[in-house]
Amino acid sequence: MSRLQLTQGLRRSADLFGDRVATIMGDRRSTWREVENRVARLAAGLRGLGAQRGDRIVILALNSDRYIDAYYAILWAGCVAVPLNTRWVWAEIAHALSDSEPSLILYDAHFAHLAPELAKTCPVVAMDGAGDGSPCFDALVSAYDPMPDESAGGDDLAMIFYTGGTTGRSKGVMLSHANLAGNFLAQQALLHYPSDTVFLHVAPMFHMADACCLLGMTAIGATHVALPVFDPAQVIDTIVRERVTAVMLVPTMIAMLIEALQDRDDDMSCIQRIFYGASPISEAVLRKAMATFPNARFCQAYGQTELSPVATVLEHEDHLRGYLRSAGRPIPTVDLRVVDETMQSRPFGEVGEIAVRGPGVMMGYWRQPELTGATIIDGWLRTGDAGYRDADGYVFLVDRVKDMIVSGGENVYSVEVENALMSHPAVRQCAVIGVPDDRWGEAVHAFVQLHPDGDVSADTLIAHAKERIAGYKCPRSFTFREDPLPLSGAGKILKTELRKLVTGQA
Protein backbone atom coordinates (compact mmCIF):
# COMPACT_ATOMS: atom_id res chain seq x y z
CA MET A 1 0.00 0.00 0.00
CA SER A 2 1.30 3.43 -0.96
CA ARG A 3 1.98 5.78 1.95
CA LEU A 4 2.53 9.52 2.22
CA GLN A 5 6.24 10.24 1.89
CA LEU A 6 7.73 13.70 2.34
CA THR A 7 10.38 12.87 -0.26
CA GLN A 8 7.65 12.31 -2.86
CA GLY A 9 7.27 16.09 -3.07
CA LEU A 10 10.92 16.42 -4.07
CA ARG A 11 10.68 13.62 -6.60
CA ARG A 12 7.54 15.17 -8.09
CA SER A 13 9.11 18.61 -8.46
CA ALA A 14 12.24 17.14 -10.07
CA ASP A 15 10.02 15.22 -12.51
CA LEU A 16 7.61 18.04 -13.41
CA PHE A 17 9.77 21.14 -12.96
CA GLY A 18 13.30 19.77 -13.40
CA ASP A 19 14.77 22.92 -14.98
CA ARG A 20 13.00 25.39 -12.69
CA VAL A 21 15.15 27.18 -10.10
CA ALA A 22 14.51 25.38 -6.83
CA THR A 23 16.82 27.09 -4.35
CA ILE A 24 18.51 30.48 -4.19
CA MET A 25 21.19 31.36 -1.66
CA GLY A 26 22.99 34.56 -2.58
CA ASP A 27 24.51 33.97 -6.01
CA ARG A 28 24.08 30.18 -5.75
CA ARG A 29 21.18 28.66 -7.67
CA SER A 30 20.08 25.05 -8.15
CA THR A 31 17.31 23.51 -10.24
CA TRP A 32 14.93 20.88 -8.92
CA ARG A 33 16.71 18.20 -10.91
CA GLU A 34 20.03 19.26 -9.38
CA VAL A 35 18.58 19.28 -5.86
CA GLU A 36 17.18 15.77 -6.25
CA ASN A 37 20.52 14.44 -7.52
CA ARG A 38 22.41 16.16 -4.72
CA VAL A 39 20.01 14.84 -2.09
CA ALA A 40 20.29 11.26 -3.39
CA ARG A 41 24.10 11.46 -3.26
CA LEU A 42 24.10 13.04 0.21
CA ALA A 43 21.76 10.32 1.46
CA ALA A 44 24.19 7.70 0.18
CA GLY A 45 26.99 9.57 1.92
CA LEU A 46 25.11 9.61 5.24
CA ARG A 47 24.60 5.88 4.91
CA GLY A 48 28.27 5.47 4.05
CA LEU A 49 29.18 7.24 7.29
CA GLY A 50 27.22 4.68 9.24
CA ALA A 51 23.68 6.03 9.50
CA GLN A 52 21.05 3.30 9.53
CA ARG A 53 17.32 3.42 8.80
CA GLY A 54 15.47 5.01 11.71
CA ASP A 55 18.58 6.73 13.11
CA ARG A 56 18.27 10.31 14.31
CA ILE A 57 20.45 12.86 12.52
CA VAL A 58 20.81 16.32 14.08
CA ILE A 59 20.99 19.58 12.10
CA LEU A 60 22.60 22.60 13.76
CA ALA A 61 22.77 25.39 11.20
CA LEU A 62 21.46 28.74 10.04
CA ASN A 63 19.05 28.96 7.11
CA SER A 64 20.50 28.05 3.73
CA ASP A 65 19.91 26.00 0.61
CA ARG A 66 22.09 23.36 2.30
CA TYR A 67 19.51 23.10 5.10
CA ILE A 68 16.95 22.02 2.50
CA ASP A 69 19.43 19.45 1.19
CA ALA A 70 19.96 18.22 4.75
CA TYR A 71 16.26 17.74 5.54
CA TYR A 72 15.63 15.74 2.38
CA ALA A 73 18.87 13.72 2.42
CA ILE A 74 18.11 12.56 5.95
CA LEU A 75 14.60 11.49 4.95
CA TRP A 76 15.80 9.96 1.65
CA ALA A 77 18.18 7.76 3.64
CA GLY A 78 15.28 6.52 5.78
CA CYS A 79 16.45 8.43 8.84
CA VAL A 80 14.85 10.97 11.20
CA ALA A 81 15.71 14.68 11.06
CA VAL A 82 16.30 16.48 14.38
CA PRO A 83 16.74 20.25 13.80
CA LEU A 84 18.09 22.18 16.80
CA ASN A 85 17.45 25.75 17.89
CA THR A 86 20.36 27.91 16.73
CA ARG A 87 19.89 30.31 19.67
CA TRP A 88 20.48 27.68 22.35
CA VAL A 89 23.50 27.76 24.62
CA TRP A 90 25.67 24.67 24.92
CA ALA A 91 23.81 23.22 27.92
CA GLU A 92 20.59 23.17 25.91
CA ILE A 93 22.27 21.67 22.85
CA ALA A 94 23.92 19.01 25.01
CA HIS A 95 20.57 18.04 26.54
CA ALA A 96 18.97 17.52 23.10
CA LEU A 97 21.96 15.47 21.92
CA SER A 98 21.83 13.28 25.01
CA ASP A 99 18.08 12.84 24.66
CA SER A 100 17.90 12.11 20.93
CA GLU A 101 21.12 10.02 20.69
CA PRO A 102 21.90 10.88 17.06
CA SER A 103 24.16 8.81 14.82
CA LEU A 104 25.37 11.91 12.92
CA ILE A 105 25.40 15.68 13.47
CA LEU A 106 25.29 18.09 10.52
CA TYR A 107 26.58 21.61 11.22
CA ASP A 108 27.41 24.73 9.23
CA ALA A 109 30.26 27.25 9.42
CA HIS A 110 28.43 29.30 12.04
CA PHE A 111 28.81 26.39 14.47
CA ALA A 112 32.24 25.17 13.37
CA HIS A 113 33.68 26.25 16.71
CA LEU A 114 31.48 23.61 18.36
CA ALA A 115 32.61 20.80 16.08
CA PRO A 116 35.11 19.32 18.59
CA GLU A 117 32.42 19.18 21.31
CA LEU A 118 29.79 17.87 18.91
CA ALA A 119 32.17 15.13 17.75
CA LYS A 120 32.31 13.78 21.28
CA THR A 121 28.69 12.67 20.82
CA CYS A 122 28.93 11.08 17.35
CA PRO A 123 30.51 11.68 13.92
CA VAL A 124 29.97 15.16 12.47
CA VAL A 125 29.50 16.44 8.91
CA ALA A 126 30.06 20.01 7.75
CA MET A 127 27.26 21.35 5.56
CA ASP A 128 29.68 23.78 3.90
CA GLY A 129 33.45 23.71 3.41
CA ALA A 130 35.13 22.12 6.42
CA GLY A 131 38.52 23.30 7.54
CA ASP A 132 38.60 21.08 10.62
CA GLY A 133 38.94 17.74 8.89
CA SER A 134 35.22 16.85 9.07
CA PRO A 135 33.65 15.35 5.97
CA CYS A 136 31.54 17.95 4.15
CA PHE A 137 28.50 17.91 1.89
CA ASP A 138 30.43 18.64 -1.32
CA ALA A 139 32.86 15.80 -0.64
CA LEU A 140 30.02 13.34 -0.05
CA VAL A 141 28.25 14.44 -3.24
CA SER A 142 31.45 13.84 -5.21
CA ALA A 143 32.27 10.52 -3.53
CA TYR A 144 28.89 8.74 -3.69
CA ASP A 145 26.54 7.71 -6.48
CA PRO A 146 22.85 8.56 -6.04
CA MET A 147 20.97 6.01 -3.96
CA PRO A 148 17.28 5.12 -4.50
CA ASP A 149 14.76 6.83 -2.26
CA GLU A 150 14.49 4.64 0.86
CA SER A 151 12.38 7.08 2.84
CA ALA A 152 9.93 5.83 5.41
CA GLY A 153 6.37 7.12 5.14
CA GLY A 154 2.86 7.23 6.50
CA ASP A 155 2.78 6.98 10.28
CA ASP A 156 6.54 6.40 10.53
CA LEU A 157 8.59 8.96 12.44
CA ALA A 158 10.01 11.66 10.15
CA MET A 159 11.24 14.46 12.41
CA ILE A 160 11.72 15.38 16.05
CA PHE A 161 11.36 19.05 16.94
CA TYR A 162 12.52 20.15 20.37
CA THR A 163 10.28 22.66 22.06
CA GLY A 164 10.39 24.33 25.47
CA GLY A 165 9.12 22.26 28.37
CA THR A 166 7.21 23.08 31.52
CA THR A 167 9.68 20.92 33.44
CA GLY A 168 12.50 23.27 32.47
CA ARG A 169 13.88 20.89 29.82
CA SER A 170 13.09 20.88 26.12
CA LYS A 171 10.99 17.96 24.97
CA GLY A 172 11.10 16.24 21.59
CA VAL A 173 7.90 16.40 19.55
CA MET A 174 7.64 13.35 17.28
CA LEU A 175 6.00 14.04 13.90
CA SER A 176 5.31 11.49 11.18
CA HIS A 177 5.35 11.78 7.40
CA ALA A 178 1.55 11.73 7.44
CA ASN A 179 1.44 14.43 10.15
CA LEU A 180 3.59 16.84 8.18
CA ALA A 181 2.36 16.14 4.65
CA GLY A 182 -1.29 16.11 5.68
CA ASN A 183 -1.08 19.40 7.56
CA PHE A 184 0.30 21.31 4.58
CA LEU A 185 -2.25 19.77 2.22
CA ALA A 186 -5.05 20.90 4.56
CA GLN A 187 -3.61 24.42 4.59
CA GLN A 188 -3.21 24.38 0.81
CA ALA A 189 -6.93 23.65 0.43
CA LEU A 190 -7.54 27.14 1.84
CA LEU A 191 -4.46 29.12 0.83
CA HIS A 192 -3.92 27.95 -2.77
CA TYR A 193 -0.21 28.68 -3.19
CA PRO A 194 0.52 28.61 -6.94
CA SER A 195 3.27 26.36 -8.31
CA ASP A 196 5.40 29.33 -9.40
CA THR A 197 5.58 30.81 -5.88
CA VAL A 198 8.92 32.38 -4.91
CA PHE A 199 9.08 31.82 -1.15
CA LEU A 200 11.46 33.67 1.17
CA HIS A 201 12.73 31.83 4.25
CA VAL A 202 13.69 34.33 6.96
CA ALA A 203 12.07 32.60 9.91
CA PRO A 204 14.46 29.90 11.17
CA MET A 205 14.25 26.57 9.36
CA PHE A 206 14.57 24.69 12.67
CA HIS A 207 11.12 26.04 13.60
CA MET A 208 8.19 23.84 12.74
CA ALA A 209 6.41 26.83 11.17
CA ASP A 210 9.10 27.42 8.55
CA ALA A 211 9.84 23.71 8.14
CA CYS A 212 6.20 23.20 7.19
CA CYS A 213 6.56 25.89 4.52
CA LEU A 214 9.81 24.33 3.32
CA LEU A 215 8.21 20.92 2.89
CA GLY A 216 5.05 22.33 1.36
CA MET A 217 6.75 24.65 -1.13
CA THR A 218 8.94 21.76 -2.26
CA ALA A 219 5.86 19.60 -2.87
CA ILE A 220 4.31 22.16 -5.24
CA GLY A 221 7.57 22.98 -7.06
CA ALA A 222 7.97 26.52 -5.76
CA THR A 223 11.31 28.34 -5.54
CA HIS A 224 13.01 28.66 -2.14
CA VAL A 225 14.99 31.81 -1.34
CA ALA A 226 17.00 31.56 1.89
CA LEU A 227 18.52 34.18 4.16
CA PRO A 228 20.65 32.95 7.08
CA VAL A 229 19.12 35.38 9.58
CA PHE A 230 16.47 38.06 9.67
CA ASP A 231 17.79 41.51 8.81
CA PRO A 232 15.17 44.03 7.61
CA ALA A 233 17.42 45.69 5.02
CA GLN A 234 18.54 42.33 3.58
CA VAL A 235 14.97 41.09 3.49
CA ILE A 236 13.84 44.15 1.53
CA ASP A 237 16.78 43.92 -0.87
CA THR A 238 16.11 40.21 -1.43
CA ILE A 239 12.39 40.72 -2.04
CA VAL A 240 13.18 43.31 -4.71
CA ARG A 241 16.06 41.40 -6.33
CA GLU A 242 14.40 37.97 -6.47
CA ARG A 243 10.82 39.22 -6.95
CA VAL A 244 9.67 37.24 -3.92
CA THR A 245 5.94 36.48 -3.94
CA ALA A 246 5.39 34.87 -0.52
CA VAL A 247 6.93 34.97 2.95
CA MET A 248 6.24 33.61 6.42
CA LEU A 249 6.90 36.09 9.25
CA VAL A 250 6.36 36.47 12.95
CA PRO A 251 4.73 39.76 14.04
CA THR A 252 8.02 41.18 15.34
CA MET A 253 9.50 40.81 11.87
CA ILE A 254 6.49 42.51 10.28
CA ALA A 255 6.85 45.51 12.59
CA MET A 256 10.58 45.80 11.87
CA LEU A 257 10.02 45.60 8.11
CA ILE A 258 7.40 48.36 8.25
CA GLU A 259 9.79 50.53 10.23
CA ALA A 260 12.65 49.91 7.78
CA LEU A 261 10.47 50.66 4.74
CA GLN A 262 9.55 54.08 6.10
CA ASP A 263 13.01 55.33 5.12
CA ARG A 264 13.08 53.58 1.75
CA ASP A 265 11.23 53.75 -1.53
CA ASP A 266 11.20 50.07 -2.50
CA ASP A 267 8.50 48.44 -4.59
CA MET A 268 6.79 45.72 -2.53
CA SER A 269 4.11 45.00 -5.12
CA CYS A 270 5.57 41.56 -5.92
CA ILE A 271 4.53 40.21 -2.50
CA GLN A 272 1.29 38.32 -3.00
CA ARG A 273 1.06 36.38 0.27
CA ILE A 274 2.15 37.07 3.84
CA PHE A 275 1.72 34.18 6.24
CA TYR A 276 2.13 35.16 9.89
CA GLY A 277 1.67 33.75 13.36
CA ALA A 278 3.61 32.42 16.38
CA SER A 279 2.80 35.37 18.66
CA PRO A 280 0.23 38.15 19.19
CA ILE A 281 0.09 41.06 16.75
CA SER A 282 -1.48 44.43 17.40
CA GLU A 283 -4.25 45.70 15.16
CA ALA A 284 -2.25 48.88 14.50
CA VAL A 285 0.74 46.93 13.16
CA LEU A 286 -1.48 44.67 11.10
CA ARG A 287 -3.30 47.61 9.48
CA LYS A 288 0.05 49.25 8.65
CA ALA A 289 1.25 45.97 7.14
CA MET A 290 -1.81 45.68 4.93
CA ALA A 291 -1.16 49.21 3.68
CA THR A 292 2.58 48.60 3.19
CA PHE A 293 2.03 45.42 1.14
CA PRO A 294 -1.07 46.39 -0.87
CA ASN A 295 -1.02 43.35 -3.19
CA ALA A 296 -0.55 40.79 -0.43
CA ARG A 297 -3.14 38.37 0.82
CA PHE A 298 -2.66 38.10 4.58
CA CYS A 299 -3.12 34.84 6.44
CA GLN A 300 -2.71 34.23 10.16
CA ALA A 301 -2.16 30.71 11.44
CA TYR A 302 -2.62 29.42 14.97
CA GLY A 303 -1.14 26.15 16.12
CA GLN A 304 1.88 24.62 17.79
CA THR A 305 4.63 22.16 17.03
CA GLU A 306 2.53 19.33 18.47
CA LEU A 307 -0.04 19.94 15.70
CA SER A 308 2.39 19.80 12.74
CA PRO A 309 1.78 22.82 13.23
CA VAL A 310 -1.43 24.56 12.07
CA ALA A 311 -4.88 24.21 13.66
CA THR A 312 -6.70 27.34 12.52
CA VAL A 313 -6.33 29.91 9.78
CA LEU A 314 -7.61 33.47 9.52
CA GLU A 315 -8.00 33.94 5.79
CA HIS A 316 -7.44 37.20 3.91
CA GLU A 317 -11.17 37.78 3.51
CA ASP A 318 -11.55 37.45 7.29
CA HIS A 319 -9.00 40.26 7.69
CA LEU A 320 -11.05 42.45 5.37
CA ARG A 321 -14.22 41.66 7.32
CA GLY A 322 -12.63 42.95 10.51
CA TYR A 323 -11.76 39.72 12.33
CA LEU A 324 -8.29 41.05 13.16
CA ARG A 325 -8.45 39.87 16.78
CA SER A 326 -9.36 36.30 15.82
CA ALA A 327 -7.01 33.37 15.22
CA GLY A 328 -9.36 32.12 12.52
CA ARG A 329 -11.27 28.88 12.06
CA PRO A 330 -10.15 25.25 11.94
CA ILE A 331 -8.47 24.09 8.73
CA PRO A 332 -9.95 21.11 6.86
CA THR A 333 -9.48 17.76 8.70
CA VAL A 334 -9.17 19.52 12.09
CA ASP A 335 -11.74 19.34 14.89
CA LEU A 336 -11.46 22.00 17.60
CA ARG A 337 -13.21 22.30 20.95
CA VAL A 338 -13.00 24.62 23.93
CA VAL A 339 -13.06 22.46 27.05
CA ASP A 340 -13.01 22.65 30.83
CA GLU A 341 -10.68 20.76 33.18
CA THR A 342 -12.64 17.53 32.65
CA MET A 343 -12.49 17.82 28.82
CA GLN A 344 -16.17 18.75 28.59
CA SER A 345 -17.04 21.25 25.86
CA ARG A 346 -17.83 24.81 26.89
CA PRO A 347 -20.55 26.90 25.21
CA PHE A 348 -19.78 29.50 22.55
CA GLY A 349 -18.32 32.64 24.07
CA GLU A 350 -17.07 30.96 27.25
CA VAL A 351 -13.34 30.69 27.86
CA GLY A 352 -11.67 27.31 28.30
CA GLU A 353 -8.70 25.33 27.06
CA ILE A 354 -8.42 24.75 23.32
CA ALA A 355 -8.29 21.07 22.37
CA VAL A 356 -7.57 19.85 18.84
CA ARG A 357 -8.08 16.53 17.05
CA GLY A 358 -6.95 15.59 13.56
CA PRO A 359 -4.23 14.00 11.41
CA GLY A 360 -1.71 16.64 12.48
CA VAL A 361 -1.71 15.61 16.15
CA MET A 362 1.80 14.49 17.04
CA MET A 363 2.85 10.89 17.58
CA GLY A 364 3.90 11.91 21.07
CA TYR A 365 6.84 13.25 23.03
CA TRP A 366 10.11 11.43 22.45
CA ARG A 367 10.68 8.95 25.27
CA GLN A 368 8.10 10.65 27.49
CA PRO A 369 5.00 8.38 27.46
CA GLU A 370 3.53 9.82 30.66
CA LEU A 371 3.68 13.39 29.35
CA THR A 372 2.23 12.19 26.05
CA GLY A 373 -0.65 10.52 27.87
CA ALA A 374 -1.39 13.67 29.83
CA THR A 375 -1.35 15.82 26.67
CA ILE A 376 -3.36 13.65 24.25
CA ILE A 377 -6.72 12.53 25.69
CA ASP A 378 -8.78 10.17 23.50
CA GLY A 379 -7.15 11.64 20.40
CA TRP A 380 -7.62 15.26 21.53
CA LEU A 381 -4.47 17.31 22.08
CA ARG A 382 -4.67 19.74 24.97
CA THR A 383 -2.92 22.85 23.68
CA GLY A 384 -2.51 24.63 27.01
CA ASP A 385 -3.96 27.75 25.38
CA ALA A 386 -7.07 29.46 26.70
CA GLY A 387 -9.65 30.95 24.37
CA TYR A 388 -13.22 30.85 23.15
CA ARG A 389 -15.21 30.39 19.96
CA ASP A 390 -18.00 32.54 18.63
CA ALA A 391 -21.15 31.21 17.00
CA ASP A 392 -19.49 31.30 13.57
CA GLY A 393 -16.60 29.13 14.71
CA TYR A 394 -13.94 31.83 14.93
CA VAL A 395 -11.34 31.20 17.64
CA PHE A 396 -10.19 33.97 19.95
CA LEU A 397 -7.13 33.47 22.16
CA VAL A 398 -7.22 35.20 25.54
CA ASP A 399 -4.31 33.74 27.49
CA ARG A 400 -2.18 30.65 27.91
CA VAL A 401 -3.07 27.99 30.40
CA LYS A 402 0.57 27.05 30.67
CA ASP A 403 3.04 29.68 31.81
CA MET A 404 4.51 30.24 28.39
CA ILE A 405 5.75 33.59 27.14
CA VAL A 406 5.96 34.30 23.40
CA SER A 407 8.71 36.84 22.73
CA GLY A 408 9.60 37.67 19.13
CA GLY A 409 7.94 34.46 17.97
CA GLU A 410 10.03 32.30 20.34
CA ASN A 411 8.40 30.24 23.07
CA VAL A 412 9.79 30.91 26.54
CA TYR A 413 8.59 28.79 29.44
CA SER A 414 8.68 30.67 32.72
CA VAL A 415 9.78 27.65 34.76
CA GLU A 416 12.90 27.31 32.62
CA VAL A 417 13.86 30.93 33.31
CA GLU A 418 12.96 30.58 36.98
CA ASN A 419 15.21 27.53 37.29
CA ALA A 420 18.12 29.50 35.84
CA LEU A 421 17.58 32.44 38.21
CA MET A 422 17.03 30.24 41.26
CA SER A 423 20.41 28.59 40.68
CA HIS A 424 22.06 31.85 41.79
CA PRO A 425 22.89 31.63 45.52
CA ALA A 426 21.56 35.13 46.26
CA VAL A 427 18.04 34.37 44.97
CA ARG A 428 15.53 33.19 47.52
CA GLN A 429 12.37 33.23 45.44
CA CYS A 430 11.44 34.27 41.91
CA ALA A 431 8.60 34.19 39.41
CA VAL A 432 8.64 35.01 35.72
CA ILE A 433 5.80 36.41 33.63
CA GLY A 434 5.34 37.92 30.18
CA VAL A 435 4.60 41.61 29.87
CA PRO A 436 3.41 43.48 26.74
CA ASP A 437 6.22 44.81 24.57
CA ASP A 438 5.80 46.90 21.42
CA ARG A 439 8.82 45.35 19.70
CA TRP A 440 8.73 41.71 20.80
CA GLY A 441 5.02 41.17 21.49
CA GLU A 442 5.92 40.04 24.99
CA ALA A 443 9.03 40.48 27.12
CA VAL A 444 10.25 38.36 30.01
CA HIS A 445 9.88 40.06 33.40
CA ALA A 446 11.20 38.54 36.62
CA PHE A 447 10.06 39.12 40.19
CA VAL A 448 12.91 38.34 42.56
CA GLN A 449 13.24 38.14 46.32
CA LEU A 450 16.81 37.86 47.56
CA HIS A 451 18.09 36.14 50.66
CA PRO A 452 18.58 38.54 53.61
CA ASP A 453 22.32 38.64 52.97
CA GLY A 454 21.93 38.51 49.18
CA ASP A 455 23.36 41.32 47.07
CA VAL A 456 23.09 40.95 43.31
CA SER A 457 22.17 43.25 40.44
CA ALA A 458 19.89 42.68 37.48
CA ASP A 459 22.89 42.65 35.11
CA THR A 460 24.59 39.97 37.19
CA LEU A 461 21.47 37.81 37.19
CA ILE A 462 21.12 38.18 33.42
CA ALA A 463 24.74 37.13 32.92
CA HIS A 464 24.18 34.19 35.28
CA ALA A 465 21.08 33.09 33.35
CA LYS A 466 22.81 33.40 29.97
CA GLU A 467 25.24 30.69 31.04
CA ARG A 468 22.29 28.30 31.39
CA ILE A 469 19.64 29.35 28.86
CA ALA A 470 19.52 31.16 25.52
CA GLY A 471 19.72 34.94 25.64
CA TYR A 472 16.20 35.48 24.28
CA LYS A 473 14.81 33.59 27.29
CA CYS A 474 16.51 35.85 29.83
CA PRO A 475 14.55 38.59 31.65
CA ARG A 476 14.53 42.03 30.09
CA SER A 477 13.29 43.66 33.28
CA PHE A 478 13.17 42.92 37.01
CA THR A 479 11.16 43.76 40.08
CA PHE A 480 13.18 43.19 43.27
CA ARG A 481 10.97 42.66 46.31
CA GLU A 482 11.75 42.62 50.01
CA ASP A 483 8.45 40.88 50.80
CA PRO A 484 7.76 37.26 49.76
CA LEU A 485 5.87 36.69 46.53
CA PRO A 486 2.08 36.28 46.91
CA LEU A 487 1.00 32.67 47.40
CA SER A 488 -2.27 30.79 47.02
CA GLY A 489 -3.72 28.62 49.74
CA ALA A 490 -1.97 25.67 48.10
CA GLY A 491 1.36 27.45 48.31
CA LYS A 492 1.61 28.33 44.61
CA ILE A 493 2.84 31.75 43.51
CA LEU A 494 -0.08 33.88 42.34
CA LYS A 495 1.13 35.09 38.97
CA THR A 496 -2.21 36.74 38.34
CA GLU A 497 -1.41 39.12 41.21
CA LEU A 498 2.06 39.76 39.85
CA ARG A 499 0.68 40.60 36.41
CA LYS A 500 -1.58 43.17 38.01
CA LEU A 501 1.44 44.86 39.56
CA VAL A 502 3.12 45.27 36.15
CA THR A 503 0.28 45.60 33.66
CA GLY A 504 -2.80 46.28 35.79
CA GLN A 505 -4.35 43.14 34.31
CA ALA A 506 -4.69 39.59 35.62
Coordinates of all heavy atoms in Angstrom, one line a residue, residues 428-431 447-451 479-487 493 498 501:
R428 N 16.3 34.0 46.6 CA 15.5 33.2 47.5 C 14.3 32.7 46.9 O 13.8 31.6 47.1 CB 15.2 34.0 48.8 CG 14.4 33.3 49.8 CD 14.1 34.2 51.0 NE 13.4 33.5 52.1 CZ 13.0 34.0 53.2 NH1 13.2 35.3 53.4 NH2 12.3 33.3 54.1
Q429 N 13.7 33.5 46.1 CA 12.4 33.2 45.4 C 12.3 34.0 44.2 O 12.7 35.2 44.1 CB 11.2 33.6 46.4 CG 9.9 33.0 46.1 CD 8.9 33.4 47.1 OE1 8.9 34.6 47.6 NE2 8.0 32.5 47.5
C430 N 11.6 33.5 43.1 CA 11.4 34.3 41.9 C 10.2 33.7 41.1 O 9.8 32.6 41.3 CB 12.7 34.3 41.0 SG 13.0 32.7 40.1
A431 N 9.7 34.6 40.3 CA 8.6 34.2 39.4 C 8.7 35.0 38.1 O 9.1 36.2 38.2 CB 7.2 34.4 40.1
F447 N 10.2 38.7 38.8 CA 10.1 39.1 40.2 C 11.0 38.3 41.0 O 11.0 37.1 41.0 CB 8.6 38.9 40.7 CG 7.6 39.8 40.1 CD1 7.0 39.6 38.9 CD2 7.3 41.0 40.8 CE1 6.1 40.4 38.4 CE2 6.3 41.9 40.3 CZ 5.7 41.6 39.1
V448 N 11.9 39.0 41.8 CA 12.9 38.3 42.6 C 12.9 38.8 44.0 O 12.9 40.0 44.3 CB 14.3 38.6 41.9 CG1 15.4 38.0 42.8 CG2 14.4 38.0 40.5
Q449 N 13.0 37.9 44.9 CA 13.2 38.1 46.3 C 14.6 37.5 46.7 O 14.8 36.3 46.4 CB 12.2 37.6 47.2 CG 12.4 37.9 48.7 CD 11.6 37.0 49.7 OE1 11.2 35.9 49.3 NE2 11.3 37.6 50.8
L450 N 15.5 38.3 47.2 CA 16.8 37.9 47.6 C 16.9 37.4 49.0 O 16.0 37.7 49.8 CB 17.8 39.0 47.4 CG 18.0 39.6 46.0 CD1 19.0 40.7 46.0 CD2 18.3 38.6 45.0
H451 N 17.8 36.5 49.3 CA 18.1 36.1 50.7 C 18.5 37.4 51.5 O 19.0 38.4 50.9 CB 19.2 35.1 50.7 CG 18.8 33.8 50.2 ND1 17.9 32.9 50.9 CD2 19.2 33.1 49.1 CE1 17.8 31.8 50.2 NE2 18.5 31.9 49.1
T479 N 11.7 43.1 38.9 CA 11.2 43.8 40.1 C 11.8 43.0 41.3 O 11.5 41.9 41.5 CB 9.6 43.7 40.1 OG1 9.1 44.4 39.0 CG2 9.1 44.3 41.4
F480 N 12.6 43.8 42.1 CA 13.2 43.2 43.3 C 12.3 43.5 44.4 O 11.9 44.7 44.7 CB 14.6 43.7 43.5 CG 15.6 43.2 42.5 CD1 15.9 43.8 41.4 CD2 16.3 42.0 42.8 CE1 16.8 43.3 40.5 CE2 17.2 41.5 42.0 CZ 17.5 42.2 40.8
R481 N 11.9 42.5 45.2 CA 11.0 42.7 46.3 C 11.6 42.3 47.6 O 12.4 41.3 47.7 CB 9.7 41.8 46.1 CG 8.9 42.2 44.9 CD 7.9 41.0 44.6 NE 7.1 40.7 45.8 CZ 5.8 41.2 46.0 NH1 5.3 42.0 45.1 NH2 5.1 40.8 47.1
E482 N 11.3 43.0 48.7 CA 11.7 42.6 50.0 C 10.8 41.6 50.6 O 11.2 40.7 51.3 CB 11.9 43.8 50.9 CG 13.0 44.8 50.5 CD 13.1 46.0 51.5 OE1 12.3 46.0 52.5 OE2 14.0 46.8 51.2
D483 N 9.5 41.8 50.3 CA 8.4 40.9 50.8 C 8.4 39.6 50.0 O 8.7 39.6 48.8 CB 7.1 41.6 50.8 CG 7.0 42.8 51.7 OD1 7.7 42.7 52.7 OD2 6.3 43.7 51.3
P484 N 7.9 38.5 50.5 CA 7.8 37.3 49.8 C 6.7 37.5 48.6 O 5.9 38.4 48.7 CB 7.3 36.3 50.8 CG 7.7 36.8 52.1 CD 7.6 38.3 52.0
L485 N 6.8 36.6 47.6 CA 5.9 36.7 46.5 C 4.5 36.2 47.0 O 4.4 35.3 47.9 CB 6.4 35.8 45.4 CG 7.7 36.2 44.8 CD1 8.1 35.4 43.6 CD2 7.8 37.7 44.4
P486 N 3.4 36.7 46.5 CA 2.1 36.3 46.9 C 1.8 34.8 46.6 O 2.1 34.3 45.5 CB 1.1 37.2 46.1 CG 1.9 37.6 44.9 CD 3.3 37.7 45.4
L487 N 1.3 34.1 47.6 CA 1.0 32.7 47.4 C -0.5 32.4 47.5 O -1.2 33.0 48.3 CB 1.8 31.9 48.4 CG 3.3 32.0 48.5 CD1 3.9 31.2 49.6 CD2 3.9 31.6 47.1
I493 N 2.7 30.3 43.7 CA 2.8 31.7 43.5 C 1.7 32.2 42.6 O 1.4 31.6 41.6 CB 4.2 32.1 42.8 CG1 5.3 31.7 43.8 CG2 4.3 33.5 42.4 CD1 6.7 31.9 43.2
L498 N 0.8 39.1 40.3 CA 2.1 39.8 39.9 C 1.8 40.5 38.6 O 2.4 41.6 38.3 CB 3.2 38.7 39.7 CG 3.6 38.0 40.9 CD1 4.7 37.0 40.6 CD2 4.2 39.0 42.0
L501 N 0.5 43.9 39.1 CA 1.4 44.9 39.6 C 2.2 45.5 38.4 O 2.5 46.7 38.5 CB 2.5 44.2 40.5 CG 2.0 43.7 41.8 CD1 3.1 42.9 42.6 CD2 1.4 44.8 42.7

